[in-house]
């Protein structure tokens, strides 16, 4: 995390502030609104400057949440990348300081696995931990694969290693 990749920074028009990366298509269950309210509270308290980067395609819920961004006065702290090219995902995740996964429900929790594969910390709500524990166990097994450089699988390969043909965070 925090590794600078100038090409990816420029391609997705990201600033130099620490990045909080929200992966995947924004749907109501992803709970982006809770993160936005938290960011607004952080700004009110003069907390550290961060940029919240939202990936994924345009959705009705994303448009509603962008309205909340404007209402909360967060426009300069929130950006959207659109759909991220699969080959760019590991670099984007390495740029991130943290990946919050605040979903009200998450199937396989690919964002957790993808972030861990890039050595990026993940934040999940206490009530989601039992649902994401299986992902952590899978990651620990993948981490021991002999063909992984430095004992780590890289980017989306880690996710597809256990579920071939499944969509990555960029296409959900």
């Amino acid at each position: 995390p925090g590794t600078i990749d100038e090409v990816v920074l420029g391609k997705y028009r990201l600033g130099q502030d620490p990045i909080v990366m929200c992966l995947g298509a924004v749907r109501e269950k992803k709970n982006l609104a809770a993160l936005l309210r938290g960011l607004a509270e952080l700004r009110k308290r003069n907390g550290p400057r961060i940029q919240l980067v939202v990936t994924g395609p345009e959705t009705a819920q994303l448009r509603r949440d962008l309205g909340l961004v404007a209402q909360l006065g967060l426009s300069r702290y929130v950006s959207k990348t659109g759909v991220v090219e699969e080959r760019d995902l590991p670099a984007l995740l390495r740029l991130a300081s943290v990946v919050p996964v605040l979903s009200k429900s998450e199937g396989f929790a690919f964002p957790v696995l993808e972030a861990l594969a890039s050595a990026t910390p993940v934040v999940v709500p206490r009530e989601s931990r039992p649902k994401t524990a299986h992902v952590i166990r899978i990651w620990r097994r993948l981490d021991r694969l002999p063909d992984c450089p430095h004992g780590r699988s890289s980017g989306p390969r880690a996710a597809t290693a256990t579920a071939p043909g499944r969509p990555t965070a960029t296409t959900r």
Side-chain angles (χ1 to χ4, degrees):
T3 303
I4 302 299
D5 184 325
E6 297 293 334
V7 173
V8 173
L9 276 174
K11 182 176 182 177
Y12 293 100
R13 299 176 184 180
L14 303 175
Q16 295 294 326
D17 289 335
I19 295 171
V20 175
M21 182 75 61
C22 297
L23 296 174
V26 176
R27 293 176 177 44
E28 184 178 356
K29 73 175 191 167
K30 296 283 187 173
N31 210 10
L32 179 58
L35 193 57
L36 294 172
R37 288 185 185 95
L39 178 57
E41 187 62 31
L42 183 70
R43 295 307 321 138
K44 268 195 244 176
R45 295 178 185 200
N46 293 315
R49 282 185 57 127
I50 60 170
Q51 59 180 317
L52 180 62
V53 177
V54 180
T55 69
E58 190 79 23
T59 64
Q61 186 63 45
L62 176 60
R63 287 188 294 278
R64 282 190 288 277
D65 287 342
L66 290 175
L68 182 59
V69 166
Q71 180 184 353
L72 295 172
L74 298 174
S75 297
R76 66 187 295 195
Y77 305 105
V78 178
S79 61
K80 59 185 185 105
T81 63
V83 176
V84 172
E85 292 182 39
E86 189 172 331
R87 71 174 179 261
D88 293 338
L89 186 59
L92 274 174
L93 286 167
R94 285 190 299 272
L95 288 168
S97 297
V98 66
V99 173
V101 180
L102 304 182
S103 300
K104 295 174 184 175
S105 69
E106 189 70 50
F108 188 77
F110 271 104
V112 173
L113 189 58
E114 290 163 332
L116 292 173
S118 296
T120 302
V122 177
V123 175
V124 297
R126 183 170 279 118
E127 61 271 8
S128 294
R129 289 181 190 159
K131 297 173 194 167
T132 57
H134 68 283
V135 174
I136 304 300
R137 285 191 296 275
I138 290 168
W139 170 249
R140 287 183 180 145
R141 288 184 192 124
L142 285 172
D143 198 35
R144 291 189 288 265
L145 289 175
D147 64 340
C148 297
H150 312 293
R152 296 255 180 234
S153 297
S154 58
R157 181 178 172 269
T160 57
T162 57
R166 288 290 307 241
T168 66
T170 58
T171 59
R172 276 193 295 274

